[in-house]
Amino acid sequence: MTEQPVKPRPAQADGWDRDLRLPEAAHIGKTAGIVEINLEAKIAEIEVVPGTRTRAWTYNGLLPGPLIRAKVGDRLIVNFTNHLPEETTVHWHGIRLPAAMDGVPVHSQKPVMPNGTFKYEFVLPDAGLFWYHPHVRSAGQVGDGLYGALMVEDPGEPAGLGDEVVMVLSDMSLDDAGTLLPADIGGEFGVLFGREGTYILVNGKVMPELRVVPGRRQRWRIVNAARTRYFRLDIAGQTFQRIGGDGGLLEAPVEQPYLVVTPGERLDVLIAPRGDVGSSVPMRWVAYDRGFGTTFMRPDVDMMTLKFVDGTAGVDSAVPAKLRTIAPLDITSARTQELRLTRATVKGRVVMGINGVPGAMAPPMKIKVGETQIWNVVNDVEFAHPFHLHGFFFQVLSWADAGDKLRPPPPLEWKDTADVPVKGRLTLAVRFEDRPGMWMFHCHILDHAEAGMMGMVQLDP
């Protein structure tokens, strides 16, 4: 992909993204093509709710963890140290890496014990926004603050799309004094619904402000790092142009009146805010119907303020009608597998599984390197599930709601996380191109995954 010419554009207002700018991880050394950082998991006191202090679980004492920035083809080296009171790992969500670096206990590495270390090292083959989080007691550790963003840039992508803001959306369960609530709050009811935090956060903050010049385009790189919460994002009087997602750019932009991002998913969107200088408009969380009772009596929540400030909008460069070329996977000889998402109650406990079997008891699916498969993921549960596959991208072939009512055809893109509607289905195609080993797939409502809604692929040479 060749670089596109950039038309002159005036700068944003001074301090326009001050509330949202994420600290970046410091690089060790200056060897070209190698990004090496130190990453430490530790408990640190942070002001999440203004006026209170929270002993959050953090990476490098930050919430979210430091933004790791690299380029396609770079080798990332992460010297990880665990200073938490329990074992943990780091999973690199969405990265096509070797199985030994995937951060899944037992199947890819031993958990890192308190005061222990581990060296993660792998090449970054794809551009896009990715993220990192634990895969030990994931719902609790992520819910308490362990997550961060990883930006992999492609110098050859179209230039001048917009001024970039990385937004890590999350929530956190705190009492009025700012103290973390127990990870198992709500008991089995919490497992069934999935636990949503009492405070919604954007880059670790409650109601930050983003200063915008009317008509001046911005590029928002969004990741949903919440353990359960779906984010439907609405801004009155504004529209969005989605240009990418999990695996980088789409083939072509898509206009959208609002955004929906499921747990684990990423969006790459353009917005040219419209409004009068001096006015403000909130970005609102709107309850998304992900199943029984999830929209009942739930008011909208203001998440962030867009404050319109003086400036010259100028002329942004045109967004290309075609952003990249994505070849559809050849599925002419693909084998089809059906994965049914299920739940049961066993001795008063919620037990979830795939094809009726909890993940800890399920034998791995045996697949050969180079094989292409079609997975028909059928949801037998009264809640939607964001389905995530480790280590590989897939292409969505179709979505269907309850009653097998097909949704509009999705744009062609590379995904690693996609929603399975309530009593509906997701049909995807995936090619297991290389990297033999054990690979996990699971619901990214982390309470559901820990209740058993997960499985493994044994990929053999």
Side-chain angles (χ1 to χ4, degrees):
M1 184 180 295
T2 58
E3 289 195 22
Q4 304 295 313
V6 184
K7 296 180 181 179
R9 296 183 300 162
Q12 296 280 2
D14 290 343
W16 66 283
D17 64 344
R18 185 181 297 115
D19 270 6
L20 291 173
R21 195 178 307 134
L22 293 170
E24 296 192 10
H27 294 190
I28 301 170
K30 297 182 180 179
T31 304
I34 296 178
V35 174
E36 184 172 2
I37 68 166
N38 293 328
L39 191 67
E40 178 187 8
K42 64 180 181 180
I43 295 175
E45 282 202 352
I46 290 178
E47 185 178 74
V48 180
V49 180
T52 68
R53 305 293 292 179
T54 297
R55 285 179 54 79
W57 292 43
T58 74
Y59 292 114
N60 290 8
L62 301 170
L63 181 71
L67 173 63
I68 303 172
R69 194 178 288 275
K71 291 182 173 61
V72 170
D74 282 349
R75 178 173 294 276
L76 179 62
I77 301 172
V78 179
N79 304 303
F80 176 67
T81 303
N82 179 18
H83 283 151
L84 299 171
E86 64 184 46
E87 63 189 27
T88 192
T89 64
V90 183
H91 167 58
W92 305 93
H93 184 119
I95 301 293
R96 296 188 299 141
L97 40 54
M101 295 288 108
D102 194 43
V104 175
V106 180
H107 299 295
S108 63
Q109 69 170 102
K110 294 180 180 178
V112 183
M113 304 302 290
N115 298 316
T117 62
F118 190 87
K119 184 177 182 179
Y120 294 95
E121 183 173 356
F122 46 88
V123 173
L124 300 165
D126 304 294
L129 178 64
F130 305 94
W131 66 298
Y132 56 96
H133 66 83
H135 239 290
V136 172
R137 201 175 64 82
S138 300
Q141 292 192 2
V142 170
D144 288 350
L146 284 176
Y147 46 82
L150 166 58
M151 178 66 74
V152 184
E153 299 171 337
D154 179 1
E157 76 171 17
L161 291 173
D163 297 296
E164 182 185 274
V165 183
V166 177
M167 295 184 188
V168 181
L169 310 181
S170 62
D171 58 13
M172 185 170 270
S173 295
L174 304 172
D175 63 17
D176 292 341
T179 303
L180 287 167
L181 296 174
D184 60 354
I185 190 170
E188 295 304 299
F189 186 81
V191 174
L192 178 62
F193 272 72
R195 295 173 175 91
E196 296 183 2
T198 53
Y199 289 90
I200 293 177
L201 308 177
V202 183
N203 290 358
K205 296 183 178 181
V206 176
M207 277 297 289
E209 179 183 271
L210 183 63
R211 304 177 72 194
V212 299
V213 174
R216 177 76 165 98
R217 197 166 64 213
Q218 296 186 2
R219 183 180 183 182
W220 293 0
R221 313 295 295 271
I222 301 170
V223 55
N224 182 352
R227 55 186 170 178
T228 291
R229 186 183 296 271
Y230 282 49
F231 283 87
R232 172 174 163 160
L233 308 177
D234 279 282
I235 306 176
Q238 314 297 319
T239 58
F240 302 91
Q241 192 173 33
R242 188 165 81 89
I243 62 170
D246 296 348
L249 294 175
L250 305 177
E251 278 204 312
V254 179
E255 297 287 340
Q256 297 184 196
Y258 60 87
L259 304 173
V260 175
V261 53
T262 70
E265 194 176 23
R266 283 88 68 209
L267 298 182
D268 187 350
V269 299
L270 304 179
I271 180 172
R274 299 186 296 271
D276 297 326
V277 171
S279 67
S280 296
V281 62
M283 180 170 78
R284 289 194 171 102
W285 174 88
V286 177
Y288 179 79
D289 187 3
R290 62 177 183 86
F292 180 75
T294 50
T295 59
F296 180 69
M297 297 291 289
R298 303 190 74 186
D300 299 351
V301 178
D302 291 353
M303 296 174 51
M304 181 179 78
T305 298
L306 273 63
K307 182 178 181 181
F308 290 93
V309 297
D310 199 11
T312 305
V315 179
D316 284 306
S317 56
V319 179
K322 186 168 185 178
L323 296 164
R324 70 187 290 197
T325 298
I326 301 176
L329 288 170
D330 183 356
I331 58 175
T332 53
S333 59
R335 182 158 58 105
T336 298
Q337 305 254 28
E338 183 172 272
L339 305 178
R340 303 194 77 93
L341 309 181
T342 56
R343 81 165 183 93
T345 302
V346 179
K347 296 181 179 179
R349 297 185 65 87
V350 174
V351 177
M352 297 193 174
I354 296 178
N355 293 335
V357 183
M361 300 171 59
M365 297 167 55
K366 294 188 176 182
I367 299 175
K368 290 286 188 180
V369 164
E371 188 175 349
T372 299
Q373 293 203 348
I374 296 172
W375 286 7
N376 195 29
V377 186
V378 181
N379 188 358
D380 288 340
V381 183
E382 57 272 79
F383 293 95
H385 300 284
F387 183 85
H388 173 53
L389 173 63
H390 285 214
F392 298 88
F393 290 131
F394 55 78
Q395 293 177 353
V396 174
L397 302 180
S398 66
W399 270 292
D401 292 311
D404 214 32
K405 180 181 178 182
L406 286 174
R407 294 184 175 184
L412 189 57
E413 62 178 309
W414 292 109
K415 298 285 293 174
D416 57 61
T417 308
D419 193 38
V420 190
V422 178
K423 297 292 185 177
R425 63 178 169 85
L426 164 74
T427 303
L428 61 89
V430 55
R431 183 174 186 273
F432 293 94
E433 71 270 13
D434 55 13
R435 291 169 292 115
M438 294 287 279
W439 296 98
M440 179 179 283
F441 53 91
H442 61 92
C443 173
H444 221 283
I445 293 176
L446 296 176
D447 291 299
H448 290 178
E450 292 185 354
M453 193 171 283
M454 62 173 63
M456 300 296 299
V457 167
Q458 180 180 318
L459 187 60
D460 295 324

mmCIF file of all heavy atoms in Angstrom, residues 140-174:
data_model
loop_
_atom_site.group_PDB
_atom_site.id
_atom_site.type_symbol
_atom_site.label_atom_id
_atom_site.label_comp_id
_atom_site.label_asym_id
_atom_site.label_seq_id
_atom_site.Cartn_x
_atom_site.Cartn_y
_atom_site.Cartn_z
ATOM 1 N N GLY A 140 -11.718 -11.443 37.517
ATOM 2 C CA GLY A 140 -11.311 -10.656 38.676
ATOM 3 C C GLY A 140 -10.139 -9.746 38.379
ATOM 4 O O GLY A 140 -10.149 -8.552 38.729
ATOM 5 N N GLN A 141 -9.108 -10.266 37.726
ATOM 6 C CA GLN A 141 -7.910 -9.462 37.494
ATOM 7 C C GLN A 141 -8.163 -8.353 36.476
ATOM 8 O O GLN A 141 -7.707 -7.217 36.650
ATOM 9 C CB GLN A 141 -6.752 -10.361 37.052
ATOM 10 C CG GLN A 141 -6.262 -11.288 38.167
ATOM 11 C CD GLN A 141 -4.941 -11.964 37.841
ATOM 12 O OE1 GLN A 141 -4.335 -11.738 36.800
ATOM 13 N NE2 GLN A 141 -4.490 -12.813 38.745
ATOM 14 N N VAL A 142 -8.906 -8.647 35.401
ATOM 15 C CA VAL A 142 -9.258 -7.593 34.453
ATOM 16 C C VAL A 142 -10.192 -6.580 35.108
ATOM 17 O O VAL A 142 -10.024 -5.365 34.970
ATOM 18 C CB VAL A 142 -9.901 -8.196 33.188
ATOM 19 C CG1 VAL A 142 -10.490 -7.097 32.301
ATOM 20 C CG2 VAL A 142 -8.878 -9.008 32.403
ATOM 21 N N GLY A 143 -11.180 -7.079 35.843
ATOM 22 C CA GLY A 143 -12.116 -6.191 36.513
ATOM 23 C C GLY A 143 -11.458 -5.256 37.503
ATOM 24 O O GLY A 143 -11.932 -4.134 37.731
ATOM 25 N N ASP A 144 -10.343 -5.681 38.071
ATOM 26 C CA ASP A 144 -9.638 -4.849 39.045
ATOM 27 C C ASP A 144 -8.602 -3.932 38.416
ATOM 28 O O ASP A 144 -7.928 -3.194 39.129
ATOM 29 C CB ASP A 144 -8.967 -5.739 40.095
ATOM 30 C CG ASP A 144 -9.974 -6.376 41.050
ATOM 31 O OD1 ASP A 144 -11.150 -5.976 41.021
ATOM 32 O OD2 ASP A 144 -9.588 -7.287 41.808
ATOM 33 N N GLY A 145 -8.443 -3.997 37.066
ATOM 34 C CA GLY A 145 -7.620 -2.987 36.405
ATOM 35 C C GLY A 145 -6.510 -3.469 35.501
ATOM 36 O O GLY A 145 -5.788 -2.637 34.937
ATOM 37 N N LEU A 146 -6.342 -4.779 35.319
ATOM 38 C CA LEU A 146 -5.215 -5.270 34.522
ATOM 39 C C LEU A 146 -5.585 -5.363 33.042
ATOM 40 O O LEU A 146 -6.129 -6.378 32.574
ATOM 41 C CB LEU A 146 -4.755 -6.639 35.045
ATOM 42 C CG LEU A 146 -3.938 -6.615 36.339
ATOM 43 C CD1 LEU A 146 -3.639 -8.033 36.805
ATOM 44 C CD2 LEU A 146 -2.627 -5.845 36.150
ATOM 45 N N TYR A 147 -5.285 -4.308 32.302
ATOM 46 C CA TYR A 147 -5.481 -4.296 30.860
ATOM 47 C C TYR A 147 -4.733 -3.099 30.281
ATOM 48 O O TYR A 147 -4.480 -2.107 30.975
ATOM 49 C CB TYR A 147 -6.970 -4.217 30.478
ATOM 50 C CG TYR A 147 -7.768 -3.190 31.246
ATOM 51 C CD1 TYR A 147 -7.763 -1.846 30.873
ATOM 52 C CD2 TYR A 147 -8.507 -3.550 32.372
ATOM 53 C CE1 TYR A 147 -8.488 -0.895 31.589
ATOM 54 C CE2 TYR A 147 -9.234 -2.605 33.095
ATOM 55 C CZ TYR A 147 -9.217 -1.292 32.692
ATOM 56 O OH TYR A 147 -9.911 -0.348 33.406
ATOM 57 N N GLY A 148 -4.360 -3.210 29.022
ATOM 58 C CA GLY A 148 -3.673 -2.114 28.345
ATOM 59 C C GLY A 148 -3.756 -2.302 26.846
ATOM 60 O O GLY A 148 -4.108 -3.377 26.352
ATOM 61 N N ALA A 149 -3.423 -1.257 26.096
ATOM 62 C CA ALA A 149 -3.559 -1.266 24.639
ATOM 63 C C ALA A 149 -2.197 -1.419 23.965
ATOM 64 O O ALA A 149 -1.169 -0.954 24.466
ATOM 65 C CB ALA A 149 -4.229 0.027 24.172
ATOM 66 N N LEU A 150 -2.216 -2.069 22.808
ATOM 67 C CA LEU A 150 -1.040 -2.276 21.978
ATOM 68 C C LEU A 150 -1.365 -1.796 20.566
ATOM 69 O O LEU A 150 -2.231 -2.364 19.901
ATOM 70 C CB LEU A 150 -0.652 -3.757 21.968
ATOM 71 C CG LEU A 150 0.347 -4.247 20.917
ATOM 72 C CD1 LEU A 150 1.673 -3.499 21.021
ATOM 73 C CD2 LEU A 150 0.578 -5.751 21.056
ATOM 74 N N MET A 151 -0.707 -0.747 20.120
ATOM 75 C CA MET A 151 -0.941 -0.176 18.803
ATOM 76 C C MET A 151 0.175 -0.600 17.858
ATOM 77 O O MET A 151 1.352 -0.335 18.107
ATOM 78 C CB MET A 151 -0.984 1.350 18.873
ATOM 79 C CG MET A 151 -1.172 2.030 17.521
ATOM 80 S SD MET A 151 -2.774 1.688 16.797
ATOM 81 C CE MET A 151 -3.797 2.734 17.852
ATOM 82 N N VAL A 152 -0.209 -1.272 16.771
ATOM 83 C CA VAL A 152 0.751 -1.668 15.745
ATOM 84 C C VAL A 152 0.447 -0.843 14.498
ATOM 85 O O VAL A 152 -0.617 -0.993 13.889
ATOM 86 C CB VAL A 152 0.672 -3.173 15.441
ATOM 87 C CG1 VAL A 152 1.752 -3.557 14.436
ATOM 88 C CG2 VAL A 152 0.838 -3.990 16.725
ATOM 89 N N GLU A 153 1.377 0.029 14.122
ATOM 90 C CA GLU A 153 1.156 0.967 13.025
ATOM 91 C C GLU A 153 1.696 0.412 11.712
ATOM 92 O O GLU A 153 2.682 -0.332 11.698
ATOM 93 C CB GLU A 153 1.839 2.298 13.353
ATOM 94 C CG GLU A 153 1.300 2.955 14.619
ATOM 95 C CD GLU A 153 2.116 4.144 15.062
ATOM 96 O OE1 GLU A 153 3.313 4.204 14.673
ATOM 97 O OE2 GLU A 153 1.590 5.005 15.788
ATOM 98 N N ASP A 154 1.053 0.810 10.620
ATOM 99 C CA ASP A 154 1.498 0.466 9.274
ATOM 100 C C ASP A 154 1.856 1.763 8.564
ATOM 101 O O ASP A 154 0.972 2.547 8.215
ATOM 102 C CB ASP A 154 0.379 -0.267 8.520
ATOM 103 C CG ASP A 154 0.787 -0.632 7.092
ATOM 104 O OD1 ASP A 154 1.935 -0.331 6.690
ATOM 105 O OD2 ASP A 154 -0.046 -1.214 6.375
ATOM 106 N N PRO A 155 3.157 2.028 8.343
ATOM 107 C CA PRO A 155 3.549 3.280 7.684
ATOM 108 C C PRO A 155 2.968 3.419 6.275
ATOM 109 O O PRO A 155 2.919 4.524 5.738
ATOM 110 C CB PRO A 155 5.081 3.188 7.634
ATOM 111 C CG PRO A 155 5.447 2.205 8.713
ATOM 112 C CD PRO A 155 4.315 1.220 8.754
ATOM 113 N N GLY A 156 2.499 2.320 5.688
ATOM 114 C CA GLY A 156 1.983 2.371 4.335
ATOM 115 C C GLY A 156 0.498 2.579 4.220
ATOM 116 O O GLY A 156 -0.039 2.608 3.112
ATOM 117 N N GLU A 157 -0.197 2.724 5.356
ATOM 118 C CA GLU A 157 -1.644 2.917 5.267
ATOM 119 C C GLU A 157 -1.950 4.332 4.785
ATOM 120 O O GLU A 157 -1.083 5.213 4.835
ATOM 121 C CB GLU A 157 -2.313 2.643 6.608
ATOM 122 C CG GLU A 157 -2.154 3.729 7.632
ATOM 123 C CD GLU A 157 -3.005 3.536 8.880
ATOM 124 O OE1 GLU A 157 -3.486 2.426 9.114
ATOM 125 O OE2 GLU A 157 -3.175 4.525 9.621
ATOM 126 N N PRO A 158 -3.190 4.581 4.328
ATOM 127 C CA PRO A 158 -3.527 5.935 3.883
ATOM 128 C C PRO A 158 -3.232 6.957 4.974
ATOM 129 O O PRO A 158 -3.581 6.762 6.136
ATOM 130 C CB PRO A 158 -5.031 5.841 3.602
ATOM 131 C CG PRO A 158 -5.265 4.404 3.282
ATOM 132 C CD PRO A 158 -4.301 3.637 4.138
ATOM 133 N N ALA A 159 -2.575 8.039 4.585
ATOM 134 C CA ALA A 159 -2.176 9.055 5.557
ATOM 135 C C ALA A 159 -3.274 10.098 5.714
ATOM 136 O O ALA A 159 -4.166 10.239 4.880
ATOM 137 C CB ALA A 159 -0.872 9.718 5.109
ATOM 138 N N GLY A 160 -3.199 10.821 6.830
ATOM 139 C CA GLY A 160 -4.082 11.952 7.039
ATOM 140 C C GLY A 160 -5.522 11.597 7.307
ATOM 141 O O GLY A 160 -6.430 12.393 7.035
ATOM 142 N N LEU A 161 -5.778 10.420 7.877
ATOM 143 C CA LEU A 161 -7.167 10.025 8.128
ATOM 144 C C LEU A 161 -7.788 10.840 9.254
ATOM 145 O O LEU A 161 -8.999 11.084 9.252
ATOM 146 C CB LEU A 161 -7.230 8.535 8.454
ATOM 147 C CG LEU A 161 -6.925 7.582 7.276
ATOM 148 C CD1 LEU A 161 -6.838 6.144 7.750
ATOM 149 C CD2 LEU A 161 -7.988 7.718 6.190
ATOM 150 N N GLY A 162 -6.984 11.242 10.220
ATOM 151 C CA GLY A 162 -7.508 12.027 11.327
ATOM 152 C C GLY A 162 -6.543 12.023 12.486
ATOM 153 O O GLY A 162 -5.658 11.169 12.572
ATOM 154 N N ASP A 163 -6.702 12.969 13.397
ATOM 155 C CA ASP A 163 -5.869 13.036 14.590
ATOM 156 C C ASP A 163 -6.283 11.928 15.544
ATOM 157 O O ASP A 163 -7.445 11.829 15.939
ATOM 158 C CB ASP A 163 -6.007 14.405 15.243
ATOM 159 C CG ASP A 163 -5.503 15.506 14.318
ATOM 160 O OD1 ASP A 163 -4.305 15.514 14.007
ATOM 161 O OD2 ASP A 163 -6.328 16.342 13.892
ATOM 162 N N GLU A 164 -5.332 11.133 15.962
ATOM 163 C CA GLU A 164 -5.627 9.868 16.626
ATOM 164 C C GLU A 164 -5.816 10.006 18.127
ATOM 165 O O GLU A 164 -5.065 10.695 18.817
ATOM 166 C CB GLU A 164 -4.480 8.885 16.356
ATOM 167 C CG GLU A 164 -4.682 7.511 16.955
ATOM 168 C CD GLU A 164 -3.465 6.637 16.767
ATOM 169 O OE1 GLU A 164 -3.361 6.002 15.701
ATOM 170 O OE2 GLU A 164 -2.596 6.603 17.676
ATOM 171 N N VAL A 165 -6.843 9.313 18.616
ATOM 172 C CA VAL A 165 -7.071 9.146 20.046
ATOM 173 C C VAL A 165 -7.308 7.659 20.303
ATOM 174 O O VAL A 165 -8.163 7.052 19.657
ATOM 175 C CB VAL A 165 -8.305 9.933 20.536
ATOM 176 C CG1 VAL A 165 -8.452 9.795 22.051
ATOM 177 C CG2 VAL A 165 -8.209 11.397 20.148
ATOM 178 N N VAL A 166 -6.538 7.070 21.213
ATOM 179 C CA VAL A 166 -6.772 5.691 21.631
ATOM 180 C C VAL A 166 -7.686 5.725 22.843
ATOM 181 O O VAL A 166 -7.401 6.409 23.833
ATOM 182 C CB VAL A 166 -5.450 4.975 21.975
ATOM 183 C CG1 VAL A 166 -5.725 3.563 22.481
ATOM 184 C CG2 VAL A 166 -4.535 4.928 20.755
ATOM 185 N N MET A 167 -8.804 5.004 22.768
ATOM 186 C CA MET A 167 -9.777 4.967 23.860
ATOM 187 C C MET A 167 -9.933 3.541 24.363
ATOM 188 O O MET A 167 -10.391 2.666 23.625
ATOM 189 C CB MET A 167 -11.140 5.486 23.389
ATOM 190 C CG MET A 167 -11.155 6.937 22.993
ATOM 191 S SD MET A 167 -12.842 7.468 22.578
ATOM 192 C CE MET A 167 -12.515 9.110 21.936
ATOM 193 N N VAL A 168 -9.544 3.322 25.608
ATOM 194 C CA VAL A 168 -9.732 2.041 26.272
ATOM 195 C C VAL A 168 -10.994 2.154 27.120
ATOM 196 O O VAL A 168 -11.010 2.860 28.134
ATOM 197 C CB VAL A 168 -8.520 1.664 27.134
ATOM 198 C CG1 VAL A 168 -8.733 0.301 27.789
ATOM 199 C CG2 VAL A 168 -7.242 1.654 26.295
ATOM 200 N N LEU A 169 -12.057 1.495 26.693
ATOM 201 C CA LEU A 169 -13.321 1.521 27.420
ATOM 202 C C LEU A 169 -13.345 0.385 28.428
ATOM 203 O O LEU A 169 -12.966 -0.743 28.112
ATOM 204 C CB LEU A 169 -14.499 1.383 26.457
ATOM 205 C CG LEU A 169 -14.518 2.323 25.244
ATOM 206 C CD1 LEU A 169 -15.773 2.076 24.416
ATOM 207 C CD2 LEU A 169 -14.418 3.774 25.660
ATOM 208 N N SER A 170 -13.805 0.686 29.631
ATOM 209 C CA SER A 170 -13.844 -0.347 30.664
ATOM 210 C C SER A 170 -14.840 0.084 31.734
ATOM 211 O O SER A 170 -15.490 1.128 31.632
ATOM 212 C CB SER A 170 -12.451 -0.548 31.283
ATOM 213 O OG SER A 170 -11.997 0.643 31.916
ATOM 214 N N ASP A 171 -14.957 -0.730 32.754
ATOM 215 C CA ASP A 171 -15.707 -0.336 33.942
ATOM 216 C C ASP A 171 -15.060 -0.975 35.155
ATOM 217 O O ASP A 171 -14.193 -1.839 35.038
ATOM 218 C CB ASP A 171 -17.204 -0.684 33.830
ATOM 219 C CG ASP A 171 -17.469 -2.160 33.604
ATOM 220 O OD1 ASP A 171 -16.540 -2.993 33.759
ATOM 221 O OD2 ASP A 171 -18.617 -2.515 33.258
ATOM 222 N N MET A 172 -15.450 -0.520 36.338
ATOM 223 C CA MET A 172 -14.828 -1.000 37.574
ATOM 224 C C MET A 172 -15.858 -0.984 38.683
ATOM 225 O O MET A 172 -16.651 -0.045 38.790
ATOM 226 C CB MET A 172 -13.620 -0.119 37.918
ATOM 227 C CG MET A 172 -12.803 -0.582 39.111
ATOM 228 S SD MET A 172 -11.229 0.340 39.284
ATOM 229 C CE MET A 172 -10.124 -0.684 38.303
ATOM 230 N N SER A 173 -15.844 -2.030 39.489
ATOM 231 C CA SER A 173 -16.796 -2.161 40.597
ATOM 232 C C SER A 173 -16.185 -1.593 41.867
ATOM 233 O O SER A 173 -15.288 -2.196 42.466
ATOM 234 C CB SER A 173 -17.173 -3.636 40.799
ATOM 235 O OG SER A 173 -17.872 -4.127 39.680
ATOM 236 N N LEU A 174 -16.688 -0.409 42.272
ATOM 237 C CA LEU A 174 -16.172 0.288 43.448
ATOM 238 C C LEU A 174 -17.322 0.698 44.347
ATOM 239 O O LEU A 174 -18.431 0.984 43.877
ATOM 240 C CB LEU A 174 -15.411 1.554 43.028
ATOM 241 C CG LEU A 174 -14.253 1.401 42.042
ATOM 242 C CD1 LEU A 174 -13.759 2.783 41.613
ATOM 243 C CD2 LEU A 174 -13.123 0.598 42.663
#
